[in-house]
Amino acid sequence: MFKQIVLVWCAMVLAGAAKAEPVSSAVADPDARAAALVRQMTPEERNLLLHGFFSRPNPINKLPQIGAPFAAGYTPGIARLGIPQLAETDASLGVAWINGKRARNATALPSSMALASTWDLKIAYAGSAAIAQDARASGLNVLLAGGVNLTREPRNGRNFEYLGEDPLLAGTLAGETIRAIQDQHVMSTTKHYALNAQESQQSGIGVNISEAAARESDLLAFEIAIDRGNPGAVMCAYNHFNGPFSCGSEFLLNKVLKQDWGYRGFVMSDWGANHSTADALAGLDRESGEEFDAQIFFGTPLAALDGKDPAYTSRITDMNQRILRSMIANHLFDDPPEIGMPDIARGEAAARTEAAAGAVLLRNNGILPLLKTAKRIAVIGGYSNIGVMSGAGSSQVAPQSGPALAIPTTYAADEWQAKLLMPGAPVKAIATRAPAAQVIFYDGAYPDLAAARARQADIAIVFATQWTSEGMDVPGLNLPAGQDALIAAVAAAKPHTIVVLETGGPVLMPWLDKTAAVLEAWYPGIKGADAIADILFGDVNPSGRLPVTFPASLDQLPRPSLDGLYDFDPRVAVNYDIEGSDVGYRWYARKGLTPLFPFGFGLSYTGFRYDNLELRSEGNSLTASFTVTNTGNTQGRDIPQVYVTSRGNSKGQRLIGWATVELAPAASTRVTVEADPRLLSDWSTQRQRWSMPAGRYDVTVNSSAASVSLAGSTGLEARLLPP
Ligand code: BGC
């Protein structure tokens, strides 16, 4: 029943946002087929699927001999039983380049933060379907995609791989990407389960949070993603969770995931996150990247317990059952991938749409869109004569044509933490759209010289980058390498200064008031330069909305200094009960803080008005209907957001739904958004259920978390949601 309600809500959001693509045919009875295979396994075969290795060439493995493709993870199949291999690639933003060892045949999509800024299910679907098709063409059948960790920490180096700070937005989009991947008959994964919100002391960090706060925030994002996408696998994280490691957490794995959510797929460890054979009893089903663990816990030591210890014997049966069930249900047996050339054009079209819809216009004093007849444009900084920034780590993609530039960091230019620029130079894209203009480029090394160039031009466009990566956090939110001083100098010299940001997440903007416009393009992928130029010149009307709050200063954060950043002690504890489930905008609302830019914020070249709010409530359902009108003279896409601001006696802001609408000038449409009842509830640890308080529910329709357009209230009775 509860799932049905969620489906209705999803359908309503889809009606506003996008039509779902057809879901592929379900496989008949994957449980029975899996069970039949498990019964036929020899004692030796019962151990083969339970561990896998990092599939890149090294002196000891024999990849070519066993036919393994370069991949992040590999488990050979069992030919006697017709069981295919598992060939797993990272794929958050495209088929990853396996730490520099696989450099072609992939589309580099924009960052997940950019995707989240679209708030658009259809765009999420199209991008992930393209990634899955690229993966099939490389012979890969499992994607390590579906990252849904909430942005609790804006300095987290992996925020670009995740979908922002709100559990409903992040969970829904992650679910849609998983659905898209699995519709292509490629298994998907959601990760990193759970509360893996920073990279500093990634493995040693001890996360502490109360059950209710976790269930109402980060775990809810996973729950929504799993409900919607039903991924074949869940990847448990590196960090400790309230004591044990996540991959050995009985609470996270056996209790929440498998028992409470009824999850029937399998849990794989992150690479190096398995710490004991006993993790199997806590609910871990597969050891990944086994060479990263202290020993191969799920190899010989686990096999030795099979048939001897009843607890392990029954778990090993269940572990095989879960892995095989996911493989069968996702067509890995009956529709194997075929190696060939991927459809790069399809991927690039999806990448361009996503980059354009995901860029967020943060400031515009009227300078944008630029006239195509501008005479002299100074383009400064951000490697904008070469390409656009991307984030590093295991998710790094090298596109079909290779990176435009690979800059070595601590690591070599072809290793996992190189700084890669995606091809497509913004300078060129700008020059193409302003053929009558003289476009001058300067790299921005010296602010004075940049200011002099800007002074001589009609308009200055400064590109600024913040490179982030897996394996490290940023120490603060100022732009690195003197770029704040560069922007300040240029803006002082030329009031007509436009700043284009290519960042992993939020940054501070001490120069904001001096600029004419600011566009947050995130890491915009292979078609980023075109998408940015399309917006600057008005070929695309910007429509992205922030999926994260931009703080005004670090003092506003629940933890002004980042735990473990400069600490060599691997056992650092982090207290997430400070903000609890009030992550991001909810923390700002609770504390009465005014951020630099609120969650949900983004400008357009047109305006929108909301009218005639009607609220309906019945049982555990609450719907908000209202009219959206385009009040300007340009066609545009809007994302009205519905929040609850108090429930019964408890105050607190929560996003309960949104719509995406595309409207011609002066056109109106009526939108209905149904709340996910979990967002109307609190988690009752005592009853182990979602509990909706009785009383008045105050609801607002907003253009961002901080700007209310319509307000109303309705009543609901107390109830416990069905399990
Ligand atoms: C990352 C995972 C990734 C895995 C395999 C780990 O370092 O945390 O997200 O899927 O490597 O590359």
Side-chain angles (χ1 to χ4, degrees), residues 54 71-73 88-92 96 98-99 144-145 158 161-162 189 191-192 196 199 202 235-238 268-272 288-289 292 393-395 416 470:
F54 187 37
E88 302 155 359
T89 180
D90 285 294
S92 303
I98 321 294
N99 294 5
L144 310 171
R158 289 188 94 170
E161 287 189 61
Y162 304 136
T189 311
K191 66 187 187 183
H192 307 87
N196 186 179
E199 291 295 287
Q202 190 189 44
M235 186 191 295
C236 51
Y238 287 120
M268 63 164 82
S269 58
D270 200 343
W271 277 229
S288 311
F292 290 89
S394 57
S395 68
W416 81 303
E470 177 181 344

Coordinates of all heavy atoms in Angstrom, one line a residue, residues 54 71-73 88-92 96 98-99 144-145 158 161-162 189 191-192 196 199 202 235-238 268-272 288-289 292 393-395 416 470, ligand 1:
F54 N 40.0 -6.2 -8.3 CA 40.1 -4.9 -9.1 C 40.7 -5.3 -10.4 O 41.8 -5.7 -10.5 CB 41.0 -4.0 -8.2 CG 41.1 -2.6 -8.7 CD1 40.0 -2.0 -9.3 CD2 42.3 -1.9 -8.6 CE1 40.1 -0.6 -9.7 CE2 42.4 -0.6 -9.1 CZ 41.3 0.0 -9.6
A71 N 38.2 -3.2 -15.6 CA 37.0 -2.8 -14.8 C 37.4 -2.5 -13.4 O 38.5 -2.9 -12.9 CB 36.0 -3.9 -14.9
A72 N 36.5 -1.9 -12.7 CA 36.8 -1.7 -11.3 C 36.6 -3.0 -10.5 O 37.3 -3.2 -9.5 CB 35.8 -0.6 -10.7
G73 N 35.7 -3.8 -10.9 CA 35.5 -5.1 -10.2 C 35.3 -6.2 -11.2 O 34.7 -6.0 -12.3
E88 N 32.4 -5.0 -13.6 CA 31.8 -3.8 -12.9 C 32.6 -2.6 -13.1 O 33.8 -2.6 -12.9 CB 31.7 -4.1 -11.4 CG 31.0 -5.3 -11.0 CD 31.4 -5.9 -9.7 OE1 32.3 -5.4 -9.0 OE2 30.8 -7.0 -9.3
T89 N 31.9 -1.5 -13.6 CA 32.6 -0.3 -13.8 C 32.0 0.8 -12.9 O 30.8 0.9 -12.7 CB 32.6 0.1 -15.2 OG1 33.3 1.4 -15.3 CG2 31.2 0.3 -15.8
D90 N 32.8 1.8 -12.5 CA 32.3 3.0 -11.9 C 31.6 3.7 -13.0 O 32.0 3.7 -14.2 CB 33.4 3.8 -11.3 CG 33.8 3.2 -10.0 OD1 33.0 3.2 -9.0 OD2 35.0 2.7 -9.9
A91 N 30.5 4.4 -12.7 CA 29.7 5.0 -13.8 C 28.8 6.1 -13.3 O 27.8 6.4 -13.9 CB 28.8 3.9 -14.4
S92 N 29.2 6.8 -12.3 CA 28.3 7.9 -11.8 C 28.1 8.9 -12.9 O 27.0 9.5 -13.1 CB 29.0 8.6 -10.6 OG 29.2 7.7 -9.6
A96 N 33.8 4.8 -16.3 CA 35.0 5.4 -15.8 C 36.3 4.9 -16.5 O 36.3 3.8 -17.1 CB 35.1 5.1 -14.3
I98 N 39.0 3.7 -15.2 CA 39.7 2.7 -14.4 C 41.1 3.2 -14.0 O 42.1 2.7 -14.5 CB 39.8 1.4 -15.2 CG1 38.5 1.0 -15.9 CG2 40.2 0.3 -14.2 CD1 37.3 0.8 -15.1
N99 N 41.1 4.3 -13.3 CA 42.3 4.9 -12.8 C 43.3 5.1 -13.9 O 44.5 4.9 -13.7 CB 42.9 4.0 -11.7 CG 42.1 4.0 -10.4 OD1 41.0 4.6 -10.4 ND2 42.6 3.4 -9.4
L144 N 28.6 0.7 -11.0 CA 28.8 1.1 -9.6 C 28.3 2.6 -9.6 O 29.1 3.5 -9.4 CB 30.2 1.0 -9.2 CG 30.8 -0.4 -9.4 CD1 32.3 -0.5 -9.2 CD2 30.1 -1.5 -8.6
A145 N 27.1 2.8 -9.9 CA 26.6 4.2 -10.0 C 25.6 4.4 -8.9 O 25.7 3.7 -7.8 CB 25.8 4.4 -11.4
R158 N 33.9 14.5 -2.7 CA 33.1 13.7 -3.6 C 31.7 14.2 -3.8 O 30.8 13.6 -4.4 CB 32.9 12.2 -3.1 CG 34.2 11.5 -3.3 CD 34.0 10.0 -3.0 NE 33.8 9.2 -4.2 CZ 33.8 7.9 -4.2 NH1 34.0 7.2 -3.1 NH2 33.5 7.2 -5.3
E161 N 29.9 13.8 -7.1 CA 29.4 12.5 -7.5 C 28.0 12.2 -6.9 O 27.4 11.2 -7.1 CB 30.3 11.3 -7.0 CG 31.6 11.2 -7.7 CD 32.3 9.9 -7.3 OE1 31.7 8.8 -7.4 OE2 33.4 10.0 -6.7
Y162 N 27.5 13.1 -6.0 CA 26.2 12.9 -5.3 C 25.2 13.9 -5.8 O 25.5 14.8 -6.5 CB 26.4 12.9 -3.8 CG 27.5 12.0 -3.3 CD1 28.4 12.4 -2.4 CD2 27.5 10.7 -3.8 CE1 29.4 11.5 -1.9 CE2 28.5 9.8 -3.3 CZ 29.4 10.2 -2.4 OH 30.3 9.3 -1.9
T189 N 23.9 -0.2 -9.0 CA 24.3 -0.3 -7.6 C 23.9 1.0 -6.9 O 23.9 2.0 -7.6 CB 25.8 -0.4 -7.5 OG1 26.2 -1.4 -8.3 CG2 26.3 -0.7 -6.0
K191 N 25.1 3.6 -3.7 CA 26.3 3.6 -2.8 C 26.4 5.0 -2.2 O 25.7 5.9 -2.7 CB 27.6 3.3 -3.5 CG 28.0 4.3 -4.6 CD 29.1 3.8 -5.4 CE 29.6 4.9 -6.4 NZ 30.7 4.4 -7.2
H192 N 27.1 5.3 -1.1 CA 27.9 4.4 -0.3 C 27.2 4.3 1.0 O 27.1 5.3 1.7 CB 29.3 4.9 -0.1 CG 30.0 5.3 -1.4 ND1 29.9 6.5 -2.0 CD2 30.8 4.5 -2.2 CE1 30.6 6.5 -3.1 NE2 31.2 5.3 -3.3
N196 N 28.5 8.3 4.5 CA 29.8 8.5 4.1 C 29.9 9.9 3.5 O 30.0 10.1 2.3 CB 30.1 7.4 3.0 CG 31.6 7.4 2.5 OD1 31.9 6.6 1.7 ND2 32.4 8.2 3.0
E199 N 35.6 12.7 2.9 CA 36.7 11.9 2.4 C 37.8 11.9 3.5 O 38.5 10.9 3.5 CB 37.2 12.4 1.1 CG 36.2 12.1 0.0 CD 36.0 10.7 -0.3 OE1 36.9 10.0 -0.8 OE2 34.9 10.2 0.1
Q202 N 38.6 8.8 5.5 CA 37.4 8.0 4.9 C 37.1 6.7 5.6 O 36.0 6.4 5.9 CB 37.8 7.8 3.5 CG 36.7 7.3 2.6 CD 37.2 6.9 1.2 OE1 38.3 6.3 1.1 NE2 36.5 7.3 0.2
M235 N 26.2 -0.9 -2.3 CA 27.6 -0.9 -1.9 C 27.7 -0.3 -0.5 O 27.3 0.9 -0.3 CB 28.5 -0.1 -2.8 CG 30.0 -0.2 -2.5 SD 31.0 1.0 -3.5 CE 30.7 0.4 -5.1
C236 N 28.2 -1.0 0.5 CA 28.4 -0.5 1.8 C 29.7 0.4 1.9 O 30.6 0.1 1.1 CB 28.3 -1.5 2.9 SG 29.4 -2.9 2.6
A237 N 29.7 1.3 2.8 CA 30.7 2.4 2.8 C 31.9 2.1 3.6 O 32.0 1.1 4.3 CB 30.1 3.7 3.3
Y238 N 32.9 2.9 3.5 CA 34.2 2.8 4.3 C 34.0 3.1 5.8 O 34.7 2.5 6.6 CB 35.2 3.7 3.7 CG 35.8 3.4 2.4 CD1 35.7 4.2 1.3 CD2 36.5 2.2 2.2 CE1 36.2 3.9 0.0 CE2 37.0 1.8 1.0 CZ 36.9 2.7 -0.1 OH 37.4 2.3 -1.3
M268 N 27.5 -5.4 -1.7 CA 28.9 -5.6 -1.9 C 29.7 -4.5 -1.1 O 29.2 -3.4 -0.9 CB 29.2 -5.4 -3.4 CG 28.9 -4.0 -4.0 SD 29.6 -3.6 -5.6 CE 28.5 -4.4 -6.7
S269 N 30.9 -4.9 -0.7 CA 31.7 -3.9 0.0 C 32.3 -2.9 -0.9 O 32.5 -3.2 -2.1 CB 32.8 -4.7 0.8 OG 33.6 -5.4 -0.1
D270 N 32.6 -1.7 -0.4 CA 33.4 -0.8 -1.2 C 34.8 -1.4 -1.2 O 35.2 -2.3 -0.4 CB 33.4 0.6 -0.5 CG 33.9 1.6 -1.5 OD1 34.5 1.3 -2.6 OD2 33.6 2.8 -1.3
W271 N 35.7 -0.9 -2.1 CA 37.0 -1.5 -2.3 C 37.9 -1.3 -1.1 O 38.4 -0.2 -0.9 CB 37.5 -1.0 -3.6 CG 37.1 -1.6 -4.9 CD1 37.9 -2.0 -5.9 CD2 35.7 -1.9 -5.3 NE1 37.1 -2.6 -6.9 CE2 35.8 -2.6 -6.6 CE3 34.4 -1.8 -4.7 CZ2 34.7 -3.0 -7.2 CZ3 33.3 -2.2 -5.4 CH2 33.4 -2.8 -6.6
G272 N 38.1 -2.3 -0.3 CA 38.9 -2.1 0.9 C 38.0 -1.9 2.2 O 38.6 -1.6 3.2
S288 N 34.4 -7.0 -2.4 CA 34.8 -6.4 -3.7 C 36.3 -6.0 -3.6 O 36.7 -5.7 -2.5 CB 34.0 -5.2 -4.0 OG 32.6 -5.4 -3.9
G289 N 36.9 -5.8 -4.7 CA 38.3 -5.4 -4.7 C 39.1 -6.0 -3.6 O 39.7 -5.4 -2.8
F292 N 42.3 -5.0 -1.9 CA 42.4 -3.9 -1.0 C 42.2 -4.2 0.5 O 42.4 -3.4 1.3 CB 41.4 -2.8 -1.4 CG 41.7 -2.2 -2.8 CD1 41.3 -2.7 -3.9 CD2 42.5 -1.0 -2.8 CE1 41.5 -2.1 -5.2 CE2 42.8 -0.4 -4.1 CZ 42.3 -1.0 -5.2
G393 N 39.0 10.8 -9.2 CA 38.8 9.6 -8.4 C 38.3 8.5 -9.2 O 38.4 8.5 -10.5
S394 N 37.7 7.5 -8.6 CA 37.3 6.3 -9.3 C 36.2 6.6 -10.3 O 36.0 5.9 -11.3 CB 36.8 5.3 -8.3 OG 35.7 5.8 -7.5
S395 N 35.5 7.8 -10.2 CA 34.4 8.1 -11.1 C 34.9 8.8 -12.4 O 34.1 9.0 -13.3 CB 33.3 9.0 -10.4 OG 33.9 10.2 -10.2
W416 N 44.6 8.1 -11.0 CA 43.2 8.3 -10.6 C 42.9 9.7 -10.1 O 41.8 10.1 -10.1 CB 42.8 7.2 -9.5 CG 43.3 7.5 -8.1 CD1 44.6 7.7 -7.8 CD2 42.5 7.7 -7.0 NE1 44.6 7.9 -6.4 CE2 43.4 7.9 -5.9 CE3 41.1 7.6 -6.7 CZ2 42.9 8.1 -4.6 CZ3 40.7 7.7 -5.4 CH2 41.6 8.0 -4.4
E470 N 37.7 12.4 -5.2 CA 37.7 11.3 -4.2 C 39.0 11.3 -3.5 O 40.0 11.6 -4.0 CB 37.4 10.0 -4.9 CG 37.4 8.8 -4.0 CD 37.2 7.5 -4.7 OE1 36.7 7.5 -5.9 OE2 37.5 6.4 -4.1
Ligands
BGC1 C1 35.0 4.1 -4.3 C2 33.8 3.5 -4.9 C3 34.1 2.8 -6.2 C4 35.2 1.7 -6.0 C5 35.6 1.0 -7.2 C6 36.1 3.1 -4.2 O1 37.3 3.7 -3.9 O2 34.7 4.6 -3.0 O3 32.8 4.5 -5.2 O4 33.0 2.2 -6.8 O5 36.3 2.4 -5.5 O6 36.3 1.8 -8.1

